[in-house]
Amino acid sequence: MYPAASGVVTALDPILRACGGTWIAHGSTEADRKFVNSKDKLGVPPENNRYILKRVWLTKEEEEGYYYGFANEGLWPLCHVTHTRPIFRETDWQMYKKVNQKFADSVLEELPAKNPFIFVQDYHFTLLPRMIKEKRPDTTVALFWHIPWPNPEVFAICPYQQEILDGMLGCDLIGFHTQFHCNNFLDTANRLIECRVDTEKFSVIRANKETFIRAFPISVDGFFNGNILKLNEPQIEKIREELQLKDKIVAIGVDRIDYTKGIIERIQALDRFIEKYPEYKNKFVFIQLAAPAAPISGVITN
């Protein structure tokens, strides 16, 4: 069992290994089916089970409409403000609602009788918090939004804006990467739906339900402040010789393959650099590491 090339997995797997719980996630391959038991579950990691991974199976049509359609062609470019026109199809929206309900039903099956906590991941499940709260109002629901949140004018492009905001505000807590994204979300809620924004508590009150909005920065800052594995000089020289990099200037990029990452623009900039400074030909090497984009979605219960 190999870890997925995903920031979500990298961030959450250590937490689940430490605290336990159940991760409910989409199963997309035959290998996923091979390793689950009769209840679509398996222990993770296999050699020393610390938490349960439960698979939810989607049809090809559900995956196309929910993930590749509404989430990737609609919400992804909308929230990244990529100047790529987001595409919203009614058929994709209906499939998105259907899949959110499918995950909600799977989550509800796993909830304990008392004090359940659910941690929802990302823009794939905007409707799920409200669906859970309607069945189990005693549940504490948190959502972390792993991509930017745009300003109200941009989000208003989405024809399903009110349903999405209403679903998200079923949460008790919504987290974003930066305070700027939190501010955008509060402005969006204040402008587009009937609610009251409390700027002192940084919360949104809708239908007597309060949702707190907070910034929880993750990613590279923590990495660079931690203990970084350092290679000694002989190791570095060996790598340079093996890859024929001796006496060359080396630059590296590490990204997921996606049009928001600027990989094409980066290559164009390198072309311009060599064109402008030809003396660097055969002296400058650029290495791009890129992981393919893949469906990573899930809900954690505890």
Side-chain angles (χ1 to χ4, degrees):
M1 183 176 179
Y2 298 97
S6 161
V8 177
V9 175
T10 303
L12 297 178
D13 179 71
I15 297 173
L16 276 165
R17 292 189 186 218
C19 302
T22 300
W23 190 334
I24 301 172
H26 173 212
S28 59
T29 67
E30 285 303 314
D32 291 331
R33 292 184 183 273
K34 181 179 178 181
F35 291 103
V36 297
N37 62 20
S38 60
K39 295 184 178 180
D40 296 323
K41 298 178 182 180
L42 70 153
V44 181
E47 68 280 0
N48 180 23
N49 297 171
R50 303 307 299 267
Y51 65 92
I52 300 299
L53 177 62
K54 181 182 180 183
R55 293 298 190 184
V56 173
W57 312 111
L58 303 180
T59 66
K60 184 71 173 176
E61 292 74 22
E62 287 172 336
E63 192 173 312
E64 286 292 333
Y66 147 77
Y67 182 80
Y68 294 105
F70 191 79
N72 275 18
E73 291 186 310
L75 291 180
W76 179 268
L78 178 76
C79 291
H80 280 85
V81 198
T82 59
H83 305 293
T84 296
R85 181 183 293 276
I87 300 172
F88 294 105
R89 306 178 187 90
E90 177 62 21
T91 53
D92 290 344
W93 170 244
Q94 294 303 323
M95 204 61 77
Y96 183 85
K97 291 197 294 183
K98 179 181 178 181
V99 172
N100 269 245
Q101 188 62 62
K102 180 178 281 194
F103 269 87
D105 294 340
S106 184
V107 170
L108 289 165
E109 291 175 358
E110 304 300 321
L111 295 186
K114 294 183 179 179
N115 303 319
F117 172 76
I118 299 174
F119 190 17
V120 182
Q121 304 304 318
D122 226 352
Y123 58 100
H124 309 89
F125 297 115
T126 60
L127 308 179
L128 191 145
R130 181 68 65 189
M131 292 173 174
I132 297 295
K133 282 287 190 178
E134 287 175 352
K135 298 289 186 180
R136 288 289 302 271
D138 61 316
T139 303
T140 300
V141 182
L143 164 69
F144 190 78
W145 192 265
H146 289 263
I147 62 176
W149 187 274
N151 61 42
E153 291 80 8
V154 170
F155 193 76
I157 294 171
C158 178
Y160 312 105
Q161 55 193 262
Q162 296 205 359
E163 295 96 322
I164 288 172
L165 290 169
D166 183 67
M168 293 176 68
L169 291 173
C171 291
D172 300 283
L173 172 68
I174 300 175
F176 295 94
H177 281 288
T178 69
Q179 187 60 50
F180 181 69
H181 298 159
C182 294
N183 296 345
N184 278 349
F185 182 82
L186 289 179
D187 289 344
T188 301
N190 197 35
R191 293 268 297 275
L192 300 183
I193 60 173
E194 185 177 345
C195 66
R196 180 169 64 86
V197 172
D198 189 323
T199 54
E200 291 187 0
K201 295 168 67 177
F202 243 76
S203 66
V204 180
I205 299 92
R206 178 171 169 80
N208 297 319
K209 167 74 179 66
E210 186 169 27
T211 302
F212 293 92
I213 313 300
R214 295 289 186 273
F216 300 101
I218 64 173
S219 194
V220 292
D221 283 348
F223 175 79
F224 285 115
N225 290 332
N227 294 322
I228 302 173
L229 179 64
K230 294 183 178 180
L231 297 175
N232 57 37
E233 199 61 37
Q235 287 176 304
I236 294 173
E237 288 304 313
K238 183 180 178 181
I239 292 171
R240 285 185 177 276
E241 288 179 10
E242 288 178 351
L243 301 179
Q244 300 179 356
L245 299 176
K246 202 169 182 64
D247 300 322
K248 296 187 188 304
I249 300 169
V250 180
I252 188 167
V254 182
D255 301 273
R256 198 159 65 100
I257 299 175
D258 185 271
Y259 58 85
T260 65
K261 306 304 180 184
I263 297 175
I264 293 175
E265 290 80 4
R266 195 175 307 162
I267 300 302
Q268 290 173 339
L270 290 170
D271 283 344
R272 175 61 178 149
F273 170 71
I274 295 299
E275 178 185 310
K276 192 172 182 180
Y277 302 102
E279 65 269 24
Y280 283 97
K281 282 185 178 180
N282 300 318
K283 294 182 180 180
F284 178 84
V285 175
F286 177 71
I287 301 171
Q288 176 68 53
L289 302 178
I296 298 292
S297 57
V299 181
I300 294 170
T301 71
N302 204 336

